[in-house]
Amino acid sequence: MKIYKTLHIGEFHTNHCEDFLIEEQIGTNEKLLAVLDGCTMGTESVFASILFGKILRNIAKNKFYEEFVTDNSIQLKDKLREVVKILIHETKLFKNQLGLEINELLSTLIIGIVETKESKAEFLTIGDGLICKDGELIEYEQDDKPDYLGYHLGDDFDSWFDSQEQKVSISNFKDLSICTDGIFTFKNLENKSEQKPENEIIQYLLIDNKGEEFDNFLDRKIRVLKDKWSHLVTDDLAIIRIKNNL
């Protein structure tokens, strides 16, 4: 199983890339994956996406160590639930310690745990973004008013988590991607008449396999979009793509 990643600042952003991504071992055959998109209208929005990502990375390391010591593994759904619960708890601690306001903690999140041996996964999306499983697109679009994790820090966790409708269980995948909504923002800024359809760009980045032998597979594709197609990503973009060639 090969995991490719790319993170790009959008052409219309000048200071920081407000997206973030993580890929971390959380179990013997399990990876914790996440892509995050800080809210541009929030305060220093790059902070929220990076903070959540760093917390998740630490959670994964601790969970991996716990499993190694206790030899006690749990179902993917239960593990994902536990990870999100810890993420919210840790975020509340940082909020109180640093005196943060809610508008400093606004980031969308696609988070999942992938069982690499059996090619199955569990995902939760908070806000918007895109999941692609073997060419099938699962798009979460919220009319430019996405939900944010920061809005729910004071909610009863069990009630909030159980009410989430943007959960998906995936099995027997060969090609699986998660990405922020920046994937919908590629533009030909030189010649609008030669703008490629959205689905063609998605197909090229998330389905096409040309160049998969390179570790920087996705970076190369974005370079081709820029150099040969004159298409630039205008919003920040984070993609994780997993290919199971077994």
Side-chain angles (χ1 to χ4, degrees), residues 149-207:
L149 186 66
Y151 290 157
H152 304 287
L153 300 181
D155 294 354
D156 175 77
F157 176 78
D158 291 328
S159 298
W160 170 80
F161 190 87
D162 290 341
S163 70
Q164 295 305 295
E165 297 181 351
Q166 297 187 162
K167 299 173 187 168
V168 61
S169 299
I170 292 172
S171 59
N172 300 318
F173 70 86
K174 295 187 181 301
D175 198 338
L176 177 66
S177 299
I178 59 174
C179 52
T180 57
D181 65 353
I183 197 164
F184 303 114
T185 68
F186 280 87
K187 304 293 182 188
N188 188 328
L189 300 178
E190 295 179 4
N191 189 342
K192 292 183 179 180
S193 67
E194 295 184 4
Q195 174 71 38
K196 290 192 176 293
E198 189 176 273
N199 64 336
E200 190 172 337
I201 291 182
I202 290 172
Q203 195 277 340
Y204 180 65
L205 289 172
L206 306 185
I207 301 170

Side-chain angles (χ1 to χ4, degrees), residues 16-235:
H16 303 286
C17 177
E18 296 166 358
D19 286 10
F20 197 67
L21 58 79
I22 68 155
E23 171 224 334
E24 195 72 38
Q25 201 78 28
I26 194 171
T28 303
N29 299 304
E30 296 169 354
K31 290 278 190 176
L32 177 67
L33 306 178
V35 292
L36 307 102
D37 179 4
C39 171
T40 301
M41 302 305 293
T43 303
E44 297 162 342
S45 53
V46 61
F47 173 77
S49 57
I50 293 178
L51 175 65
F52 295 157
K54 297 289 187 179
I55 294 173
L56 287 170
R57 188 173 288 159
N58 191 55
I59 292 171
K61 290 177 180 177
N62 289 336
K63 288 292 179 188
F64 187 36
Y65 177 74
E66 287 174 14
E67 181 187 303
F68 177 76
V69 171
T70 63
D71 194 29
N72 181 30
S73 60
I74 61 176
Q75 295 295 315
L76 289 188
K77 281 187 178 180
D78 295 332
K79 184 172 284 191
L80 180 60
R81 183 189 191 104
E82 194 173 321
V83 166
V84 176
K85 186 173 186 177
I86 297 171
L87 170 62
I88 289 177
H89 174 72
E90 295 287 332
T91 301
K92 287 194 285 189
L93 292 180
F94 278 107
K95 179 179 181 294
N96 294 334
Q97 290 171 357
L98 300 177
L100 301 173
E101 301 294 334
I102 291 299
N103 63 357
E104 296 176 273
L105 294 169
L106 301 183
S107 177
T108 65
L109 169 66
I110 300 180
I111 180 172
I113 299 178
V114 176
E115 214 293 348
T116 56
K117 193 173 182 180
E118 299 182 9
S119 299
K120 61 183 181 179
E122 294 289 334
F123 284 100
L124 168 68
T125 300
I126 303 166
D128 48 24
L130 180 68
I131 298 174
C132 179
K133 186 249 184 182
D134 296 326
E136 176 190 355
L137 302 180
I138 306 168
E139 181 184 350
Y140 297 107
E141 204 281 323
Q142 300 181 329
D143 298 322
D144 291 325
K145 296 180 181 178
D147 195 11
Y148 294 107
L149 186 66
Y151 290 157
H152 304 287
L153 300 181
D155 294 354
D156 175 77
F157 176 78
D158 291 328
S159 298
W160 170 80
F161 190 87
D162 290 341
S163 70
Q164 295 305 295
E165 297 181 351
Q166 297 187 162
K167 299 173 187 168
V168 61
S169 299
I170 292 172
S171 59
N172 300 318
F173 70 86
K174 295 187 181 301
D175 198 338
L176 177 66
S177 299
I178 59 174
C179 52
T180 57
D181 65 353
I183 197 164
F184 303 114
T185 68
F186 280 87
K187 304 293 182 188
N188 188 328
L189 300 178
E190 295 179 4
N191 189 342
K192 292 183 179 180
S193 67
E194 295 184 4
Q195 174 71 38
K196 290 192 176 293
E198 189 176 273
N199 64 336
E200 190 172 337
I201 291 182
I202 290 172
Q203 195 277 340
Y204 180 65
L205 289 172
L206 306 185
I207 301 170
D208 179 76
N209 295 318
K210 186 176 180 180
E212 65 178 308
E213 67 272 19
F214 299 105
D215 290 337
N216 61 345
F217 175 47
L218 293 174
D219 289 326
R220 292 168 68 95
K221 283 183 168 293
I222 290 177
R223 197 176 307 130
V224 168
L225 285 170
K226 177 183 177 181
D227 295 342
K228 294 187 178 180
W229 295 11
S230 300
H231 279 59
L232 298 171
V233 60
T234 56
D235 192 9

